[in-house]
């Protein structure tokens, strides 16, 4: 009897030798094709746990991917912490409408957090609660066969949502200790959310920390402004953990792995052979088929070639390099799956 998708993914996260790596997308993947096929769509699926679970499981049910994942954006926690949100449409993601702790035009940030909700209330609020409840549903319906992935937002990124990322980054340059104070205050919310996702049934917590990209933070700033707090709120969790950072993460791959996570998710901006060399077996590598090209704009043969490239380079889980665009053609996702699973 062959191994289940769940067993394959877990072995891959342990970097065990396999006949092939799993094809599994840990970042967001909730396309128009998935929505039509499963009957659950945005924006309702952001706020209804059953609809969220149904859409999250369509990754496996519709495309044959080897894990299932919810929620679908990086505004869940920000909304629960006081950010006004535009919930989007059937084809557009929720977006921030404001930043409750924005300061003056001089790009200052407040000295310290004030008026943040109690952490116990935070995990019972809005779409944070929705995602936690969806984990429980997905565990019941798909947990025997598939790993359940719960997504959350990194502490530097979430602090930027509350303050305005431009203000936070400016503070990193001018008042780094004040910036750190904010990220340190936000990290316990990220940790509590991750703990609740695991307790509800998630096997893997995949944290996205896009504002800590080398496009925004200098690599030398990453360990002190993001990495040390990711270590506390993600690396310390009692489950499998994946850290995703957008862009060219090559200069910070060692720092990402210093956080103690099970593995890291890497974009196509890092050649897969280079990522494998830098990581040096310190954690599982997830990725790194390009989202804009080839997944969204390319042809199935382009996707297949990129997937094979990542596999031959030594990636442990073959996945999209970042969140899959909602309009990605079905045939392109199927090409990724077929290239790996045969």
């Amino acid at each position: 009897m062959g191994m289940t998708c769940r067993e394959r993914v877990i072995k891959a996260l342990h970097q065990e030798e396999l006949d092939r790596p799993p094809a599994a997308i840990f970042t967001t993947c909730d396309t128009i094709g998935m929505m039509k096929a499963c009957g659950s769509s945005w924006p309702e699926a952001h706020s209804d746990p059953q609809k969220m679970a149904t859409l999250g499981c369509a990754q496996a049910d519709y495309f044959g991917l080897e894990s299932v994942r919810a929620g679908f954006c990086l505004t869940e926690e920000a909304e629960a912490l006081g950010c006004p949100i535009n919930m989007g449409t059937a084809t557009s993601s929720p977006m921030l409408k404001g930043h409750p702790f924005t300061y003056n035009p001089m790009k200052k940030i407040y000295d310290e957090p004030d008026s943040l909700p109690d952490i116990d209330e935070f995990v019972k609020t809005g779409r944070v609660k929705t995602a936690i409840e969806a984990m429980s549903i997905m565990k019941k319906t798909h947990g025997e066969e598939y790993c359940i992935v719960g997504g959350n937002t990194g502490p530097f990124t979430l602090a930027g949502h509350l303050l305005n990322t431009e203000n936070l980054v400016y503070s990193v340059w001018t008042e780094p200790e004040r910036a750190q104070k904010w990220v340190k205050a936000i990290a316990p919310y990220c940790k509590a959310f991750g703990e609740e996702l695991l307790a509800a049934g998630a096997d893997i917590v995949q944290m996205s920390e896009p504002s800590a990209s080398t496009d925004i933070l200098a690599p030398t700033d990453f360990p002190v402004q993001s990495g040390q707090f990711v270590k506390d709120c993600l690396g310390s969790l009692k489950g499998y953990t994946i850290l995703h950072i957008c862009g060219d993460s090559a200069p910070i791959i060692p720092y990402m792995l210093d956080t103690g996570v099970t593995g890291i998710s890497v974009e196509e901006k890092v050649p897969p052979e280079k990522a494998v060399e830098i990581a040096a077996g310190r954690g599982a590598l997830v990725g790194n088929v390009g989202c804009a090209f080839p997944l969204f704009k390319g042809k199935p043969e382009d996707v297949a070639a990129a997937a094979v490239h990542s596999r031959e380079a030594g990636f442990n889980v073959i996945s999209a390099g970042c969140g899959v665009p909602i309009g990605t053609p079905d045939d392109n996702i199927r090409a990724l799956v077929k290239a790996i699973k045969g």
Side-chain angles (χ1 to χ4, degrees):
M1 182 178 177
M3 71 181 73
T4 64
C5 296
R6 173 186 172 79
E7 290 168 339
R8 184 177 293 275
V9 168
I10 289 174
K11 287 178 180 293
L13 293 179
H14 284 286
Q15 302 181 71
E16 295 183 21
E17 187 172 343
L18 293 164
D19 57 329
R20 64 165 178 84
I25 297 179
F26 295 168
T27 50
T28 54
C29 178
D30 17 284
T31 67
I32 292 172
M34 287 169 59
M35 294 182 199
K36 290 180 178 178
C38 74
S40 177
S41 59
W42 294 357
E44 294 80 11
H46 292 296
S47 303
D48 182 303
Q50 181 60 64
K51 291 181 179 180
M52 179 179 283
T54 298
L55 179 55
C57 290
Q59 292 185 11
D61 298 341
Y62 186 54
F63 286 129
L65 288 160
E66 296 180 90
S67 67
V68 295
R69 198 263 199 203
F72 309 131
C73 75
L74 299 182
T75 65
E76 294 169 343
E77 303 99 308
E79 183 181 27
L81 291 174
C83 289
I85 302 291
N86 179 329
M87 285 301 297
T89 68
T91 57
S92 64
S93 298
M95 300 290 290
L96 301 177
K97 292 171 60 178
H99 314 279
F101 294 95
T102 298
Y103 199 68
N104 62 34
M106 297 298 292
K107 298 181 181 177
K108 296 284 187 178
I109 62 174
Y110 290 99
D111 182 57
E112 59 185 78
D114 186 27
S115 303
L116 291 174
D118 181 81
I119 291 178
D120 290 339
E121 288 303 311
F122 164 76
V123 296
K124 299 175 184 176
T125 300
R127 290 181 294 131
V128 170
K129 180 183 178 183
T130 298
I132 293 167
E133 292 177 350
M135 294 296 103
S136 179
I137 297 169
M138 295 166 78
K139 190 69 174 180
K140 291 177 182 176
T141 61
H142 287 67
E144 186 173 335
E145 178 69 21
Y146 300 95
C147 278
I148 313 298
V149 183
N152 70 351
T153 306
F156 188 84
T157 301
L158 184 52
H161 288 168
L162 299 180
L163 296 162
N164 183 323
T165 300
E166 182 179 339
N167 290 358
L168 179 60
V169 172
Y170 187 80
S171 184
V172 169
W173 301 337
T174 61
E175 300 176 291
E177 291 183 359
R178 183 173 290 191
Q180 288 177 54
K181 186 183 293 186
W182 268 90
V183 183
K184 182 178 180 179
I186 294 303
Y189 293 89
C190 303
K191 183 174 184 176
F193 190 18
E195 288 174 337
E196 292 295 328
L197 290 169
L198 291 169
D203 301 291
I204 300 167
V205 174
Q206 182 270 304
M207 175 179 283
S208 295
E209 181 75 309
S211 295
S213 163
T214 57
D215 293 334
I216 300 175
L217 278 184
T220 52
D221 284 328
F222 174 81
V224 293
Q225 295 292 348
S226 172
Q228 64 170 317
F229 305 113
V230 170
K231 183 175 183 177
D232 178 62
C233 66
L234 182 66
S236 66
L237 295 181
K238 306 302 181 184
Y240 296 103
T241 52
I242 302 294
L243 174 62
H244 173 79
I245 297 180
C246 302
D248 181 4
S249 57
I252 60 172
I253 284 175
Y255 298 140
M256 292 170 71
L257 292 165
D258 285 345
T259 64
V261 293
T262 309
I264 60 174
S265 169
V266 179
E267 271 198 11
E268 74 281 358
K269 289 185 179 180
V270 185
E273 296 87 355
K274 184 176 183 179
V276 171
E277 180 182 1
I278 297 171
R282 293 179 57 204
L285 285 174
V286 180
N288 64 337
V289 178
C291 290
F293 184 88
L295 276 167
F296 183 49
K297 290 291 188 178
K299 297 178 180 179
E301 53 265 35
D302 300 320
V303 176
V308 169
H309 188 186
S310 295
R311 181 190 69 198
E312 292 182 347
F315 267 61
N316 303 100
V317 178
I318 309 306
S319 183
C322 192
V324 176
I326 187 173
T328 298
D330 292 357
D331 287 347
N332 283 2
I333 299 177
R334 291 199 172 99
L336 185 155
V337 174
K338 184 176 180 181
I340 302 305
K341 293 174 65 176

